[in-house]
Amino acid sequence: MTARARLVLFLVAAVVFAGFFTAACAHLPPFGTPDHPYGDRAVAAALARRTANVVSAVNFDVRAFDTLGEESILFGTVLGATLLLRRAHDERHRRAEAERVMPTTRLFGTLLLPIALVVGVYVVAHGQLSPGGGFQGGVVLATALHLAYVAADYRALKKLRPLAVLDVADSLAAASYTLIGLAGLIAGSAFLENVLPLGTFNTMTSGGTVPVLNAAVGVEVACGLITLLAHFLSQAVELTDTDRRENGDG
Amino acid sequence: MNEWLVGAAVAFVVLAATVAVLTRDPTRQAVVLSVLGLGLAILFAVLQAPDVALSQLGVGTALTPLMILLTVRKVTRQPTRASRDADRHDGAEGREQG
């Protein structure tokens, strides 16, 4: 396709999209008003199931099946990246070297790493109560661990990161979401139906299956992202081409 | 007050996104993307979506730029002797094809 044809195609598509988008936006409720038709319904549904965090109630109860899809996308992404970034036969393994870090950076990392890990666990554990949840807490946990790479070096990160365990935990957490869903079927209800006791509002055990699904997603996201970054890091730090090595500039 | 905050956050996001589009070097792009992620996180927080802000902060500001930087580091490599030889022998044809 020539550049001209591409431009014409883009302009036509852009005009059509702009027309429909403007028409759709004209029917939206005005910005910043106290009237929230969707919000009111979501809050009512969340309160009925005794889940304090409405977003978690939507993600893990009302639309738990959507979240299963999202979780599977992440799992598939990690799986695909693992497959593509595996060591090729013409790549050599190279030992990562110890690196010098500024003392202030080291101190900053050493202090912040445990705090960040605790914050991550807190965000996952309180997903049904306060803003955040499995995905957010998992991302915080995964990024927090890499403070070890910033504050020390790659070897310190490797010591902190049992990759085989994380791989298995990632798969188990991904599978457990479906298993919890099947528990609904076994209990004589629908797939991913909230069948556990709902508990007392605004306590750690409230919300029925919401905190359980939330924890499954938290473990899956944390382990998946650490595994994903591990493969990117090993490609950049550990693996080198054979011919580069032979030339002595690897 | 809140409208001013939303306006300022939107302006910052638009500015950062424009700079990200106009930046050609992937390494610089990663840094600009990180700043854009921070701006989006502030925008989401101002719009009362703290959980989205939290994931934006983790994914957009830390993870994605890090992955881009690691990929750039892996992909940009010094020319090897074999590829230099090839360049010398059929450099003219290679350049035309490339």
Side-chain angles (χ1 to χ4, degrees):
Chain A
M1 196 188 279
T2 61
R4 199 185 152 77
R6 259 201 306 251
L7 187 69
V8 170
L9 193 67
F10 165 73
L11 286 177
V12 170
V15 167
V16 172
F17 179 79
F20 278 106
F21 189 69
T22 314
C25 284
H27 294 289
L28 281 177
F31 180 79
T33 52
D35 186 37
H36 302 289
Y38 182 73
D40 292 342
R41 287 173 178 80
V43 169
L47 290 178
R49 310 287 181 88
R50 293 186 213 148
T51 311
N53 181 3
V54 178
V55 178
S56 281
V58 172
N59 280 340
F60 297 114
D61 191 351
V62 183
R63 304 180 67 167
F65 194 61
D66 282 27
T67 310
L68 175 64
E70 285 163 17
E71 186 219 35
S72 309
I73 290 171
L74 184 72
F75 185 71
T77 309
V78 174
L79 208 64
T82 307
L83 208 63
L84 287 173
L85 296 178
R86 73 192 186 280
R87 191 174 140 197
H89 59 84
D90 60 340
E91 279 176 332
R92 277 258 200 112
H93 195 268
R94 181 181 54 158
R95 274 185 70 83
E97 288 139 32
E99 279 172 61
R100 292 177 61 84
V101 185
M102 280 200 304
T104 42
T105 311
R106 189 177 284 265
L107 179 71
F108 171 77
T110 316
L111 287 177
L112 206 61
L113 177 63
I115 297 173
L117 286 178
V118 171
V119 168
V121 173
Y122 179 93
V123 172
V124 174
H126 291 73
Q128 72 278 21
L129 303 177
S130 56
F135 183 79
Q136 288 80 1
V139 175
V140 171
L141 276 174
T143 34
L145 189 77
H146 290 85
L147 278 171
Y149 182 50
V150 177
D153 55 14
Y154 188 66
R155 301 201 297 189
L157 175 67
K158 274 187 102 172
K159 280 197 197 110
L160 270 178
R161 189 186 66 187
L163 215 49
V165 178
L166 292 176
D167 262 343
V168 175
D170 183 29
S171 316
L172 285 181
S176 67
Y177 197 102
T178 313
L179 292 179
I180 298 162
L182 288 175
L185 280 181
I186 293 165
S189 192
F191 183 62
L192 281 170
E193 184 72 44
N194 197 340
V195 287
L196 286 178
L198 293 175
T200 316
F201 182 74
N202 215 9
T203 56
M204 285 288 279
T205 51
S206 65
T209 50
V210 172
V212 189
L213 291 174
N214 182 54
V217 168
V219 173
E220 201 240 328
V221 170
C223 297
L225 291 184
I226 293 169
T227 315
L228 188 67
L229 274 181
H231 287 286
F232 272 88
L233 277 169
S234 87
Q235 278 285 339
V237 179
E238 279 189 298
L239 296 178
T240 113
D241 292 353
T242 19
D243 53 348
R244 232 176 118 190
R245 177 86 171 197
E246 279 158 14
N247 290 338
D249 54 3
Chain B
M1 177 61 189
N2 195 32
E3 279 121 50
W4 284 101
L5 278 177
V6 173
V10 169
F12 182 80
V13 166
V14 169
L15 188 75
T18 312
V19 175
V21 170
L22 295 178
T23 311
R24 304 308 298 179
D25 176 36
T27 317
R28 283 159 198 260
Q29 232 168 16
V31 178
V32 179
L33 211 60
S34 184
V35 176
L36 172 63
L38 192 67
L40 279 171
I42 293 170
L43 178 64
F44 290 140
V46 177
L47 289 174
Q48 299 176 25
D51 49 333
V52 189
L54 200 55
S55 18
Q56 179 59 41
L57 208 58
V59 176
T61 314
L63 271 173
T64 315
L66 176 63
M67 286 211 268
I68 293 174
L69 285 178
L70 287 172
T71 311
V72 168
R73 179 171 162 176
K74 176 73 182 178
V75 171
T76 49
R77 48 178 70 157
Q78 274 88 40
T80 58
R81 190 188 294 158
S83 73
R84 273 198 299 268
D85 283 352
D87 255 11
R88 208 173 301 132
H89 288 311
D90 47 28
E93 298 160 51
R95 263 194 292 280
E96 262 171 40
Q97 280 160 13

